[in-house]
């Protein structure tokens, strides 16, 4: 497969109710996400036509809906739902989702807990 180009939505911030603990599900917290969408972008670069690329405003809306309106116990499950929805609904070959949870219930000092998954379209 030739090298793919990418579109990255970096450090999106949402408020959601994800976590394995009851308090996380009740109080909610901030989540920071990155989504990197891999596909060929030369055609769009030459045509200057939105039809030849991915409308990242629509991708943002999908991510926002999943993070803010659904509830998951695990960040891994949230990331999987986002990745599968993007692969299904948009013309991308591969997607990488990173989710950061700055208020994870861990007794310690840290910036955030982060999970990263990469998924590809099945052929």
């Amino acid at each position: 497969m030739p090298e793919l180009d990418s579109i990255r939505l970096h450090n999106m911030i949402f408020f959601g109710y994800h976590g394995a603990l009851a308090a996380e599900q009740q109080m909610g917290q901030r989540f920071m996400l990155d989504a990197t969408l891999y596909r060929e972008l030369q055609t769009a670069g030459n045509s200057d036509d939105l039809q030849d690329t991915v409308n990242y405003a629509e991708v943002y809306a999908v991510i926002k809906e999943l993070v803010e309106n659904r509830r998951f116990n695990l960040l891994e499950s949230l990331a999987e739902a986002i990745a599968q929805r993007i692969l299904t609904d948009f013309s991308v070959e591969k997607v990488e989702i990173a989710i950061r949870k700055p208020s994870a219930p861990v007794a310690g000092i840290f910036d955030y807990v982060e999970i990263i998954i990469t998924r590809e379209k099945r052929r």
Side-chain angles (χ1 to χ4, degrees), residues 22-107:
E24 294 178 290
Q25 296 267 339
Q26 292 169 351
M27 294 179 4
Q29 60 187 291
R30 289 182 327 133
F31 295 87
M32 302 170 313
L33 289 85
D34 301 332
T36 306
L37 319 173
Y38 294 91
R39 62 159 290 147
E40 178 274 321
L41 295 175
Q42 185 174 7
T43 302
N46 290 327
S47 71
D48 199 26
D49 187 339
L50 183 59
Q51 299 294 334
D52 292 330
T53 189
V54 176
N55 184 330
Y56 46 80
E58 292 176 1
V59 172
Y60 180 91
V62 163
I63 295 169
K64 178 179 172 60
E65 188 271 322
L66 287 167
V67 176
E68 293 184 348
N69 297 322
R70 297 268 312 269
R71 291 183 185 221
F72 296 91
N73 290 330
L74 302 177
L75 295 180
E76 294 86 342
S77 297
L78 173 58
E80 191 68 38
I82 292 169
Q84 293 306 320
R85 180 84 180 273
I86 291 171
L87 288 171
T88 299
D89 292 0
F90 298 97
S91 179
V92 300
E93 295 300 315
K94 182 170 83 168
V95 63
E96 179 180 281
I97 303 296
I99 303 177
R100 290 176 296 287
K101 186 176 186 177
S103 298
V106 175

Coordinates of all heavy atoms in Angstrom, one line a residue, residues 22-107:
A22 N -18.5 4.2 39.9 CA -19.9 4.9 39.9 C -19.7 6.4 40.0 O -20.5 7.1 39.3 CB -20.7 4.4 41.1
A23 N -18.8 6.9 40.7 CA -18.6 8.4 40.8 C -18.2 9.0 39.5 O -18.7 10.1 39.2 CB -17.5 8.7 41.8
E24 N -17.5 8.3 38.7 CA -17.1 8.8 37.3 C -18.4 8.9 36.4 O -18.5 9.8 35.7 CB -16.1 7.9 36.7 CG -14.7 7.9 37.4 CD -13.8 7.0 36.7 OE1 -14.0 5.8 36.8 OE2 -12.8 7.5 36.0
Q25 N -19.2 7.9 36.6 CA -20.4 7.8 35.8 C -21.5 8.9 36.2 O -22.3 9.3 35.4 CB -21.1 6.4 35.9 CG -20.2 5.3 35.3 CD -20.5 5.0 33.9 OE1 -21.6 5.3 33.4 NE2 -19.6 4.4 33.2
Q26 N -21.4 9.3 37.5 CA -22.3 10.3 38.0 C -21.8 11.7 37.8 O -22.6 12.6 37.4 CB -22.6 10.0 39.5 CG -23.4 8.7 39.7 CD -23.4 8.3 41.2 OE1 -22.7 8.9 42.0 NE2 -24.2 7.3 41.5
M27 N -20.6 12.0 38.2 CA -20.0 13.3 38.2 C -19.5 13.7 36.8 O -19.6 14.9 36.5 CB -18.9 13.5 39.2 CG -19.4 13.3 40.6 SD -18.2 13.5 41.9 CE -16.7 13.9 41.2
G28 N -19.0 12.8 36.1 CA -18.4 13.1 34.8 C -17.1 13.8 34.9 O -16.7 14.2 36.0
Q29 N -16.4 14.0 33.7 CA -15.1 14.7 33.7 C -14.7 15.1 32.3 O -15.4 14.7 31.4 CB -14.1 13.9 34.4 CG -13.8 12.5 33.7 CD -12.9 11.7 34.5 OE1 -11.7 12.0 34.6 NE2 -13.4 10.6 35.1
R30 N -13.6 15.8 32.2 CA -13.1 16.2 30.9 C -12.4 15.0 30.2 O -11.7 14.3 30.9 CB -12.2 17.4 31.0 CG -12.9 18.7 31.3 CD -11.9 19.9 31.3 NE -10.6 19.5 31.8 CZ -9.4 19.9 31.2 NH1 -9.5 20.6 30.1 NH2 -8.3 19.5 31.7
F31 N -12.5 14.9 28.9 CA -11.7 14.0 28.1 C -11.1 14.8 27.0 O -11.7 15.6 26.4 CB -12.6 12.9 27.6 CG -13.1 12.0 28.7 CD1 -14.3 12.3 29.3 CD2 -12.4 10.9 29.1 CE1 -14.8 11.5 30.4 CE2 -12.9 10.1 30.2 CZ -14.1 10.4 30.8
M32 N -9.8 14.5 26.7 CA -9.1 15.1 25.6 C -8.8 14.0 24.5 O -8.3 13.0 24.9 CB -7.8 15.8 26.1 CG -8.1 16.8 27.2 SD -6.7 17.5 28.1 CE -5.7 16.1 28.5
L33 N -9.1 14.3 23.3 CA -9.0 13.3 22.2 C -8.2 13.9 21.0 O -8.3 15.1 20.7 CB -10.4 12.9 21.7 CG -11.2 12.0 22.6 CD1 -12.0 12.9 23.6 CD2 -12.1 11.2 21.8
D34 N -7.5 13.0 20.4 CA -6.9 13.2 19.1 C -7.4 12.1 18.1 O -7.6 11.0 18.5 CB -5.4 13.1 19.1 CG -4.7 14.0 20.1 OD1 -5.2 15.1 20.3 OD2 -3.6 13.6 20.5
A35 N -7.7 12.5 16.9 CA -8.1 11.6 15.9 C -7.2 11.9 14.7 O -7.2 13.0 14.2 CB -9.6 11.7 15.5
T36 N -6.5 10.8 14.2 CA -5.7 11.0 13.0 C -6.4 10.1 11.9 O -6.5 8.9 12.2 CB -4.3 10.6 13.2 OG1 -3.8 11.3 14.3 CG2 -3.4 10.8 12.0
L37 N -6.7 10.7 10.8 CA -7.4 10.0 9.7 C -6.4 9.8 8.6 O -5.9 10.8 8.1 CB -8.6 10.8 9.3 CG -9.5 11.4 10.4 CD1 -10.5 12.4 9.7 CD2 -10.1 10.4 11.2
Y38 N -6.2 8.6 8.1 CA -5.3 8.3 7.1 C -6.0 8.0 5.8 O -6.9 7.1 5.8 CB -4.4 7.1 7.5 CG -3.5 7.4 8.7 CD1 -4.0 7.1 10.0 CD2 -2.3 8.0 8.5 CE1 -3.2 7.4 11.1 CE2 -1.5 8.2 9.6 CZ -1.9 8.0 10.9 OH -1.1 8.2 12.0
R39 N -5.6 8.7 4.8 CA -6.1 8.5 3.4 C -5.3 9.3 2.4 O -4.4 10.1 2.8 CB -7.6 8.9 3.3 CG -7.8 10.4 3.5 CD -9.1 10.9 3.0 NE -9.0 10.9 1.5 CZ -10.0 10.7 0.7 NH1 -11.2 10.5 1.2 NH2 -9.9 10.8 -0.6
E40 N -5.5 9.0 1.2 CA -4.8 9.8 0.1 C -5.4 11.2 0.0 O -6.6 11.3 0.0 CB -4.9 9.0 -1.2 CG -4.3 9.6 -2.4 CD -5.2 10.7 -3.1 OE1 -6.4 10.5 -3.2 OE2 -4.6 11.7 -3.5
L41 N -4.5 12.2 0.0 CA -5.0 13.6 0.0 C -4.5 14.3 -1.3 O -4.9 15.5 -1.4 CB -4.6 14.3 1.2 CG -5.2 13.8 2.6 CD1 -4.5 14.6 3.7 CD2 -6.7 14.0 2.6
Q42 N -3.8 13.7 -2.1 CA -3.2 14.4 -3.3 C -4.4 14.8 -4.2 O -4.4 15.9 -4.8 CB -2.2 13.5 -4.1 CG -1.6 14.3 -5.2 CD -0.5 13.5 -5.9 OE1 -0.3 12.3 -5.6 NE2 0.2 14.1 -6.8
T43 N -5.4 13.9 -4.4 CA -6.5 14.3 -5.3 C -7.2 15.6 -4.8 O -7.4 16.5 -5.6 CB -7.5 13.1 -5.3 OG1 -6.9 11.9 -5.8 CG2 -8.7 13.4 -6.2
A44 N -7.4 15.7 -3.5 CA -8.1 16.9 -2.9 C -7.1 18.1 -3.1 O -7.6 19.2 -3.3 CB -8.4 16.7 -1.4
G45 N -5.8 17.8 -2.9 CA -4.9 18.9 -3.0 C -4.9 19.5 -4.5 O -4.7 20.7 -4.6
N46 N -5.1 18.6 -5.4 CA -5.1 19.1 -6.8 C -6.5 19.6 -7.2 O -6.6 20.6 -8.0 CB -4.8 17.9 -7.8 CG -3.3 17.6 -7.6 OD1 -2.4 18.4 -7.4 ND2 -3.0 16.3 -7.8
S47 N -7.6 19.1 -6.7 CA -8.9 19.5 -7.1 C -9.4 20.7 -6.3 O -10.3 21.4 -6.8 CB -9.9 18.4 -7.0 OG -10.2 18.1 -5.6
D48 N -9.0 20.8 -5.1 CA -9.5 21.9 -4.2 C -11.0 21.7 -3.9 O -11.7 22.6 -3.8 CB -9.2 23.3 -4.7 CG -9.3 24.4 -3.6 OD1 -9.0 24.0 -2.5 OD2 -9.5 25.5 -4.0
D49 N -11.4 20.4 -3.9 CA -12.9 20.1 -3.8 C -13.1 19.2 -2.5 O -12.4 18.2 -2.3 CB -13.3 19.3 -5.0 CG -14.8 19.0 -5.1 OD1 -15.5 19.1 -4.0 OD2 -15.3 18.8 -6.2
L50 N -14.0 19.7 -1.6 CA -14.3 19.0 -0.4 C -14.7 17.5 -0.6 O -14.5 16.7 0.2 CB -15.4 19.7 0.4 CG -15.7 19.2 1.8 CD1 -14.5 19.1 2.7 CD2 -16.9 20.0 2.4
Q51 N -15.3 17.3 -1.8 CA -15.8 15.9 -2.1 C -14.6 14.9 -2.2 O -14.8 13.7 -2.0 CB -16.5 15.9 -3.4 CG -17.8 16.7 -3.4 CD -18.8 16.2 -2.5 OE1 -18.9 15.0 -2.1 NE2 -19.7 17.1 -2.0
D52 N -13.4 15.4 -2.4 CA -12.2 14.6 -2.5 C -11.4 14.3 -1.3 O -10.3 13.8 -1.3 CB -11.3 15.1 -3.6 CG -11.9 15.1 -5.0 OD1 -12.7 14.2 -5.3 OD2 -11.6 16.0 -5.8
T53 N -12.0 14.7 -0.1 CA -11.3 14.6 1.1 C -12.3 14.2 2.2 O -13.4 13.7 1.9 CB -10.5 15.9 1.5 OG1 -9.7 15.6 2.7 CG2 -11.4 17.0 1.8
V54 N -12.0 14.4 3.5 CA -12.9 14.0 4.6 C -13.3 15.4 5.2 O -12.4 16.2 5.5 CB -12.1 13.2 5.6 CG1 -13.0 12.9 6.9 CG2 -11.7 11.9 5.0
N55 N -14.6 15.5 5.4 CA -15.1 16.7 6.1 C -14.8 16.6 7.6 O -15.5 15.9 8.3 CB -16.6 16.9 5.8 CG -17.1 18.2 6.3 OD1 -16.7 18.7 7.4 ND2 -18.1 18.7 5.7
Y56 N -13.8 17.2 8.1 CA -13.4 17.0 9.5 C -14.4 17.7 10.4 O -14.5 17.3 11.6 CB -12.0 17.5 9.8 CG -11.6 18.8 9.2 CD1 -11.9 20.0 9.8 CD2 -10.8 18.8 8.1 CE1 -11.5 21.2 9.3 CE2 -10.4 20.1 7.6 CZ -10.7 21.2 8.2 OH -10.3 22.4 7.7
A57 N -15.2 18.6 10.0 CA -16.3 19.1 10.8 C -17.3 18.0 11.1 O -17.8 17.9 12.2 CB -17.0 20.3 10.2
E58 N -17.6 17.1 10.1 CA -18.5 16.0 10.3 C -17.9 14.9 11.2 O -18.6 14.3 12.1 CB -18.9 15.4 9.0 CG -19.8 16.3 8.2 CD -20.1 15.8 6.8 OE1 -19.7 14.6 6.5 OE2 -20.8 16.5 6.0
V59 N -16.6 14.7 11.1 CA -15.9 13.8 12.0 C -15.9 14.3 13.4 O -16.2 13.5 14.3 CB -14.4 13.6 11.5 CG1 -13.6 12.8 12.6 CG2 -14.3 13.0 10.1
Y60 N -15.7 15.6 13.6 CA -15.8 16.2 14.9 C -17.1 15.9 15.6 O -17.3 15.6 16.7 CB -15.4 17.7 14.9 CG -15.5 18.4 16.2 CD1 -14.4 18.5 17.0 CD2 -16.7 18.9 16.7 CE1 -14.4 19.1 18.2 CE2 -16.7 19.5 17.9 CZ -15.6 19.6 18.7 OH -15.6 20.3 19.9
A61 N -18.2 16.2 14.8 CA -19.6 16.0 15.3 C -19.8 14.6 15.7 O -20.5 14.3 16.7 CB -20.6 16.4 14.2
V62 N -19.3 13.6 15.0 CA -19.5 12.2 15.3 C -18.7 11.9 16.7 O -19.3 11.2 17.6 CB -18.9 11.2 14.2 CG1 -18.7 9.8 14.7 CG2 -19.9 11.3 13.0
I63 N -17.5 12.4 16.8 CA -16.8 12.1 18.0 C -17.5 12.8 19.2 O -17.6 12.2 20.3 CB -15.3 12.7 17.9 CG1 -14.6 11.8 16.8 CG2 -14.6 12.6 19.2 CD1 -13.2 12.4 16.4
K64 N -17.9 14.0 19.0 CA -18.6 14.8 20.1 C -19.8 14.0 20.5 O -20.1 13.9 21.7 CB -19.0 16.2 19.6 CG -19.8 17.0 20.6 CD -20.0 18.4 19.9 CE -21.0 19.3 20.7 NZ -20.5 19.6 22.1
E65 N -20.6 13.5 19.6 CA -21.8 12.8 19.9 C -21.5 11.5 20.8 O -22.2 11.3 21.8 CB -22.6 12.4 18.7 CG -24.0 11.8 18.9 CD -23.9 10.3 19.0 OE1 -23.2 9.6 18.4 OE2 -24.7 9.8 19.9
L66 N -20.5 10.8 20.4 CA -20.2 9.6 21.1 C -19.6 9.9 22.5 O -20.0 9.2 23.5 CB -19.2 8.7 20.3 CG -19.7 8.0 19.1 CD1 -18.6 7.5 18.2 CD2 -20.6 6.9 19.5
V67 N -18.8 10.9 22.6 CA -18.2 11.2 23.9 C -19.2 11.8 24.9 O -19.2 11.4 26.0 CB -16.9 12.1 23.8 CG1 -16.4 12.5 25.1 CG2 -15.9 11.5 22.9
E68 N -20.0 12.7 24.4 CA -20.9 13.4 25.2 C -22.3 12.7 25.5 O -22.9 13.0 26.5 CB -21.2 14.8 24.7 CG -19.9 15.7 24.7 CD -20.1 17.1 24.3 OE1 -21.2 17.4 23.7 OE2 -19.2 17.9 24.5
N69 N -22.7 11.8 24.6 CA -24.0 11.3 24.7 C -24.1 9.8 25.0 O -25.1 9.2 25.2 CB -24.8 11.6 23.5 CG -25.1 13.0 23.3 OD1 -25.3 13.8 24.2 ND2 -25.0 13.5 22.0
R70 N -22.9 9.1 25.0 CA -22.9 7.7 25.3 C -22.1 7.5 26.6 O -21.3 8.4 27.0 CB -22.2 6.9 24.2 CG -22.9 6.9 22.8 CD -23.9 5.7 22.6 NE -23.3 4.4 22.9 CZ -22.7 3.6 22.1 NH1 -22.5 4.0 20.8 NH2 -22.3 2.4 22.4
R71 N -22.1 6.4 27.2 CA -21.4 6.1 28.4 C -20.6 4.8 28.3 O -21.3 3.8 27.8 CB -22.3 6.0 29.6 CG -22.8 7.4 30.0 CD -23.7 7.3 31.2 NE -24.3 8.7 31.4 CZ -24.4 9.2 32.6 NH1 -24.0 8.6 33.7 NH2 -25.0 10.4 32.7
F72 N -19.4 4.8 28.6 CA -18.5 3.6 28.5 C -17.8 3.4 29.8 O -17.4 4.4 30.4 CB -17.5 3.7 27.4 CG -18.2 3.7 26.0 CD1 -18.5 5.0 25.4 CD2 -18.4 2.6 25.3 CE1 -19.1 5.0 24.2 CE2 -19.0 2.6 24.1 CZ -19.3 3.9 23.5
N73 N -17.6 2.2 30.3 CA -16.8 1.9 31.4 C -15.3 2.1 31.1 O -14.6 2.6 32.0 CB -17.0 0.5 31.9 CG -18.4 0.3 32.5 OD1 -19.0 1.2 33.1 ND2 -18.9 -0.9 32.4
L74 N -14.9 1.8 29.9 CA -13.5 1.8 29.6 C -13.2 2.8 28.5 O -14.0 2.9 27.5 CB -13.0 0.4 29.1 CG -13.2 -0.8 30.1 CD1 -12.7 -2.1 29.4 CD2 -12.4 -0.5 31.4
L75 N -12.1 3.5 28.6 CA -11.6 4.3 27.5 C -11.4 3.5 26.2 O -11.7 4.0 25.1 CB -10.3 5.0 27.8 CG -10.4 6.0 29.0 CD1 -9.0 6.6 29.2 CD2 -11.4 7.1 28.8
E76 N -11.0 2.3 26.4 CA -10.7 1.4 25.2 C -12.0 1.2 24.4 O -12.0 1.2 23.2 CB -10.2 0.0 25.7 CG -8.8 0.1 26.3 CD -8.8 0.4 27.8 OE1 -9.8 1.0 28.3 OE2 -7.7 0.2 28.4
S77 N -13.2 1.1 25.1 CA -14.4 0.9 24.5 C -14.9 2.1 23.7 O -15.4 2.1 22.6 CB -15.5 0.4 25.5 OG -15.2 -0.8 26.0
L78 N -14.7 3.3 24.4 CA -15.0 4.5 23.7 C -14.2 4.7 22.5 O -14.7 5.1 21.4 CB -14.8 5.7 24.7 CG -14.9 7.1 24.2 CD1 -16.3 7.4 23.6 CD2 -14.6 8.1 25.2
A79 N -12.9 4.5 22.6 CA -12.0 4.6 21.4 C -12.4 3.7 20.3 O -12.4 4.1 19.1 CB -10.5 4.4 21.8
E80 N -12.8 2.5 20.6 CA -13.2 1.5 19.6 C -14.4 1.9 18.9 O -14.6 1.8 17.7 CB -13.4 0.1 20.3 CG -13.6 -1.0 19.3 CD -12.3 -1.4 18.5 OE1 -11.2 -1.3 19.1 OE2 -12.4 -1.7 17.3
A81 N -15.4 2.5 19.7 CA -16.7 2.9 19.1 C -16.4 4.1 18.1 O -17.0 4.2 17.0 CB -17.6 3.4 20.2
I82 N -15.5 5.0 18.5 CA -15.2 6.1 17.7 C -14.5 5.6 16.4 O -14.8 6.1 15.3 CB -14.3 7.1 18.4 CG1 -15.1 7.8 19.5 CG2 -13.7 8.2 17.5 CD1 -14.2 8.6 20.5
A83 N -13.5 4.8 16.6 CA -12.7 4.3 15.4 C -13.6 3.6 14.4 O -13.6 3.8 13.2 CB -11.6 3.4 15.9
Q84 N -14.5 2.7 14.9 CA -15.3 1.9 14.0 C -16.3 2.8 13.3 O -16.6 2.6 12.1 CB -16.1 0.8 14.8 CG -15.1 -0.3 15.3 CD -14.2 -0.9 14.2 OE1 -14.7 -1.1 13.1 NE2 -13.0 -1.1 14.6
R85 N -16.9 3.8 14.0 CA -17.8 4.7 13.4 C -17.1 5.6 12.3 O -17.7 5.8 11.2 CB -18.4 5.6 14.4 CG -19.4 6.6 14.0 CD -20.8 6.1 13.8 NE -21.7 7.1 13.4 CZ -22.3 8.0 14.2 NH1 -22.2 7.9 15.5 NH2 -23.0 9.0 13.7
I86 N -15.9 6.0 12.5 CA -15.2 6.8 11.5 C -14.9 5.9 10.3 O -15.0 6.4 9.1 CB -13.9 7.4 12.1 CG1 -14.3 8.5 13.1 CG2 -13.0 8.0 11.0 CD1 -13.1 9.1 13.9
L87 N -14.4 4.7 10.5 CA -14.1 3.8 9.4 C -15.3 3.5 8.6 O -15.2 3.3 7.4 CB -13.4 2.5 9.9 CG -12.0 2.7 10.5 CD1 -11.6 1.4 11.1 CD2 -11.0 3.0 9.3
T88 N -16.5 3.4 9.2 CA -17.7 3.1 8.5 C -18.3 4.3 7.8 O -18.7 4.1 6.7 CB -18.8 2.6 9.6 OG1 -18.3 1.4 10.2 CG2 -20.1 2.2 8.9
D89 N -18.2 5.4 8.4 CA -19.0 6.6 7.9 C -18.1 7.5 7.0 O -18.7 8.3 6.3 CB -19.5 7.5 9.0 CG -20.6 6.8 9.8 OD1 -21.0 5.6 9.4 OD2 -21.1 7.4 10.7
F90 N -16.8 7.3 7.0 CA -16.0 8.3 6.2 C -15.0 7.5 5.3 O -14.6 6.4 5.6 CB -15.2 9.2 7.2 CG -16.1 10.0 8.0 CD1 -16.5 9.6 9.3 CD2 -16.7 11.2 7.5 CE1 -17.4 10.4 10.0 CE2 -17.6 12.0 8.2 CZ -17.9 11.6 9.5
S91 N -14.5 8.2 4.3 CA -13.6 7.6 3.3 C -12.2 7.7 3.9 O -11.4 8.6 3.4 CB -13.7 8.3 2.0 OG -12.8 7.8 1.1
V92 N -11.8 6.8 4.8 CA -10.5 6.8 5.4 C -10.1 5.3 5.4 O -10.9 4.4 5.5 CB -10.4 7.4 6.8 CG1 -10.8 8.8 6.8 CG2 -11.2 6.6 7.8
E93 N -8.8 5.1 5.3 CA -8.2 3.7 5.2 C -7.8 3.2 6.6 O -7.9 2.1 6.9 CB -7.0 3.7 4.3 CG -7.3 3.9 2.9 CD -8.3 2.9 2.3 OE1 -8.1 1.7 2.6 OE2 -9.2 3.3 1.6
K94 N -7.4 4.2 7.5 CA -6.9 3.9 8.8 C -7.2 5.0 9.7 O -7.3 6.2 9.3 CB -5.4 3.6 8.7 CG -4.8 3.2 10.0 CD -3.3 2.7 9.8 CE -2.3 3.9 9.7 NZ -0.9 3.4 9.8
V95 N -7.4 4.8 11.0 CA -7.7 5.8 12.0 C -6.9 5.5 13.3 O -6.8 4.3 13.6 CB -9.2 6.0 12.2 CG1 -9.8 4.8 12.9 CG2 -9.5 7.2 13.1
E96 N -6.4 6.6 13.9 CA -5.7 6.4 15.2 C -6.5 7.3 16.1 O -6.7 8.5 15.8 CB -4.3 6.8 15.1 CG -3.6 6.7 16.5 CD -2.1 7.1 16.4 OE1 -1.3 6.3 16.0 OE2 -1.8 8.3 16.8
I97 N -6.9 6.8 17.3 CA -7.7 7.5 18.3 C -6.8 7.5 19.6 O -6.4 6.5 20.0 CB -9.0 6.9 18.5 CG1 -9.9 6.8 17.3 CG2 -9.8 7.7 19.6 CD1 -10.2 8.1 16.6
A98 N -6.6 8.7 20.1 CA -6.0 8.8 21.4 C -6.9 9.5 22.3 O -7.5 10.5 22.0 CB -4.7 9.7 21.3
I99 N -7.1 9.0 23.5 CA -8.0 9.6 24.5 C -7.2 9.8 25.8 O -6.6 8.8 26.3 CB -9.2 8.7 24.8 CG1 -10.0 8.4 23.5 CG2 -10.1 9.4 25.9 CD1 -11.2 7.5 23.7
R100 N -7.3 11.0 26.3 CA -6.6 11.3 27.5 C -7.6 11.7 28.6 O -8.6 12.4 28.4 CB -5.6 12.5 27.3 CG -4.4 12.2 26.5 CD -3.6 13.3 26.1 NE -4.2 14.4 25.3 CZ -4.5 14.2 24.0 NH1 -4.2 13.1 23.4 NH2 -5.1 15.2 23.4
K101 N -7.3 11.1 29.8 CA -8.2 11.3 31.0 C -7.4 11.9 32.1 O -6.7 11.3 32.8 CB -8.8 9.9 31.4 CG -9.8 9.9 32.4 CD -10.3 8.5 32.6 CE -11.4 8.4 33.6 NZ -11.9 7.0 33.7
P102 N -7.5 13.3 32.2 CA -6.7 14.0 33.2 C -7.1 13.7 34.7 O -6.3 13.9 35.6 CB -6.8 15.4 32.8 CG -8.0 15.5 32.1 CD -8.2 14.2 31.4
S103 N -8.3 13.4 34.9 CA -8.8 13.2 36.2 C -9.1 11.7 36.5 O -10.0 11.4 37.3 CB -10.1 14.0 36.5 OG -9.8 15.4 36.3
A104 N -8.3 10.8 36.0 CA -8.4 9.4 36.3 C -8.3 9.1 37.8 O -7.4 9.8 38.4 CB -7.4 8.6 35.5
P105 N -9.1 8.2 38.3 CA -9.0 8.0 39.7 C -7.8 7.1 40.1 O -7.9 5.9 40.4 CB -10.3 7.2 40.0 CG -10.6 6.5 38.7 CD -10.1 7.4 37.6
V106 N -6.7 7.8 40.1 CA -5.4 7.1 40.5 C -4.8 7.9 41.6 O -4.7 9.2 41.5 CB -4.5 7.0 39.3 CG1 -3.1 6.5 39.7 CG2 -5.1 6.3 38.1
A107 N -4.4 7.3 42.7 CA -3.7 8.0 43.8 C -2.3 8.3 43.4 O -1.4 7.5 43.7 CB -3.8 7.1 45.0

